[in-house]
Amino acid sequence: MVELEQSVLIRRPLAEVFALASDPKNDPDWSAVVEQVEATGPLGVGVHLIQRVHLLGRRAHVPVEVLEYVPPERVVLRASIPHIQVMGWRLFEPAPDGTRVIFRTQARLSGLFTLTTPLFVRAARKHLEEDLGQLRRLLESASLPQPLQAT
């Protein structure tokens, strides 16, 4: 079992961060791995998605299911392709300067893929860090309206 966790502080209100980062349909906007997402309906428990991903030099269509959806706290996703099963938690916490986003992943590799575990871990950790950085830049960019400041 491979376990990874990465977090980032985003200087935006919890509602804004959750609206963008909780929905896998928005992943192509900030993830270098996810190229396209198709969903069976609006985000909620039981919704199925197909993500087209590009990872480790390969493209794949990955079925994803939403297991939990608790706005604005968390979304839990399960993805599975032959020999790789992934559980992902997207957690959101209010912070004094904005919102703390925590992505937690557990992956189980089987068959010959177990031989690639170190490569998988390095690539996943690198992409997770880069993706969360891109998410922060996107949400903190000037193109989004700034929240009103209390006076």
Side-chain angles (χ1 to χ4, degrees):
M1 171 89 58
V2 174
E3 295 187 15
L4 300 169
E5 184 173 304
Q6 184 75 35
S7 69
V8 66
L9 175 66
I10 299 176
R11 289 176 168 72
R12 300 297 289 181
L14 177 62
E16 288 180 22
V17 174
F18 185 85
L20 180 76
S22 67
D23 193 339
K25 290 181 295 225
N26 296 323
D27 290 4
D29 294 338
W30 53 268
S31 174
V33 174
V34 180
E35 297 177 335
Q36 183 179 6
V37 179
E38 297 175 17
T40 60
L43 185 59
V45 173
V47 168
H48 291 266
L49 307 107
I50 299 292
Q51 289 186 330
R52 189 176 74 205
V53 301
H54 186 228
L55 183 63
L56 300 175
R58 301 187 64 114
R59 283 196 166 78
H61 288 83
V62 179
V64 177
E65 181 182 6
V66 179
L67 300 179
E68 288 185 51
Y69 177 65
V70 183
E73 296 174 15
R74 72 181 170 275
V75 175
V76 180
L77 307 166
R78 177 176 53 205
S80 183
I81 57 175
H83 305 290
I84 302 175
Q85 290 73 44
V86 178
M87 290 285 294
W89 291 260
R90 297 180 181 193
L91 308 170
F92 303 85
E93 301 172 350
D97 292 333
T99 303
R100 167 91 30 217
V101 178
I102 304 160
F103 278 22
R104 186 175 299 141
T105 303
Q106 290 180 344
R108 185 176 309 277
L109 284 68
S110 62
L112 291 175
F113 278 85
T114 58
L115 300 174
T116 67
T117 298
L119 179 61
F120 177 87
V121 169
R122 276 194 307 277
R125 186 174 287 130
K126 176 181 177 270
H127 285 299
L128 187 56
E129 184 177 331
E130 290 174 356
D131 287 351
L132 285 176
Q134 180 60 25
L135 177 64
R136 179 181 46 79
R137 287 186 291 280
L138 176 64
L139 280 160
E140 291 179 355
S141 73
S143 62
L144 291 173
Q146 296 297 316
L148 297 176
Q149 299 294 324
T151 56

